Amino acid sequence: MILLRDLDHRYADWRRQLRQGHATVQRAWAEAEAAARTIRLFESGCVPGLLQTADYASAIFRRNSRLHGSPADTEAAVAARLARQNVLYSPGRKRWHLLMTESALLYGVASAPVMRAQIDRLVSATTLPALRLGIIPLRRLVPVSPAQSFCMLDDDQVVLEILTAELRLGLPEEVSLYRRAFDMLAAEALYDAGARRILSSATESWV
């Protein structure tokens, strides 16, 4: 398992992780998510992977393969990412709290039809019982800079991505600070009907 093998291994460079393509990384994430009971994720630049459609995910993987010069295993990577999403529908006590910015809905990750379908997928996701999806509106005064995406696995570890690597932070003071930042961002997000209003507006922008 690549992800979470060793909590002391704080820097996992993408060149090593992507030697065999993106599908291996997606399967490692599936293992990590299966082991956690509560997952909190903040995404500033794109739709969270757990909520991506196949076409949107395909665009993301192709882009990342070009950036890193890694094997273009797009079909296998998409299949692995979609398999991860099954956990959202599995019975149990696992809980997800996903935050994203409204601006992530407006970046040109893929074509307009793909973006509209992706936003429609997010509308459906707002009704999932185990998932809390929040969207931080544009022009909202936020108490924390929303520039850095990160994922919290329980209250044990924070994983964040930079261009060259995944950083895995597990010191109590690190986790505590990211939890505080997440809670502050979550307080500024809109949920349920409010989130759906933002999604409807974003759909109209992709004509």
Side-chain angles (χ1 to χ4, degrees):
M1 177 178 176
I2 293 177
L3 187 67
L4 302 180
R5 169 87 62 169
D6 184 352
L7 292 180
D8 292 326
H9 188 192
R10 296 162 61 89
Y11 185 94
D13 66 273
W14 287 121
R15 183 174 60 178
R16 178 178 62 83
Q17 289 205 77
L18 296 176
R19 280 182 299 191
Q20 297 180 357
H22 288 81
T24 301
V25 175
Q26 292 303 302
R27 288 190 285 268
W29 267 105
E31 292 184 33
E33 290 160 349
R37 291 187 59 181
T38 302
I39 294 177
R40 300 174 181 88
L41 182 143
F42 169 68
E43 183 59 70
S44 62
C46 66
V47 172
L50 281 168
L51 300 178
Q52 290 178 7
T53 65
D55 288 337
Y56 187 98
S58 180
I60 292 288
F61 286 125
R62 288 197 303 270
R63 184 176 68 176
N64 288 344
S65 292
R66 289 193 298 270
L67 174 64
H68 294 287
S70 56
D73 63 334
T74 303
E75 185 174 339
V78 170
R81 173 158 285 179
L82 296 184
R84 281 175 58 197
Q85 298 177 5
N86 291 333
V87 73
L88 295 172
Y89 306 95
S90 301
R93 301 178 62 185
K94 194 181 295 293
R95 291 293 179 265
W96 308 79
H97 188 170
L98 307 185
L99 294 176
M100 61 182 298
T101 62
E102 181 179 357
S103 59
L105 303 168
L106 306 177
Y107 290 134
V109 171
S111 66
V114 170
M115 293 302 298
R116 289 196 298 270
Q118 175 61 74
I119 294 170
D120 185 62
R121 166 79 172 98
L122 294 175
V123 172
S124 298
T126 63
T127 66
L128 292 175
L131 172 66
R132 191 176 185 215
L133 175 62
I135 302 178
I136 301 173
L138 291 170
R139 293 176 291 277
R140 176 65 58 95
L141 293 176
V142 291
V144 180
S145 171
Q148 181 62 64
S149 303
F150 60 91
C151 178
M152 297 189 66
L153 301 168
D154 294 321
D155 282 321
D156 299 325
Q157 189 178 49
V158 178
V159 182
L160 54 148
E161 297 182 2
I162 59 177
L163 282 179
T164 54
E166 275 184 345
L167 303 181
R168 302 160 184 177
L169 310 179
L171 297 177
E173 59 270 27
E174 294 171 330
V175 176
S176 177
L177 181 59
Y178 273 92
R179 175 61 189 276
R180 189 179 313 129
F182 183 90
D183 289 345
M184 294 170 75
L185 289 167
E188 301 303 323
L190 297 182
Y191 298 85
D192 302 318
R196 289 189 285 273
R197 286 194 298 271
I198 294 177
L199 293 168
S200 176
S201 176
T203 299
E204 293 173 1
S205 73
W206 289 101
V207 295

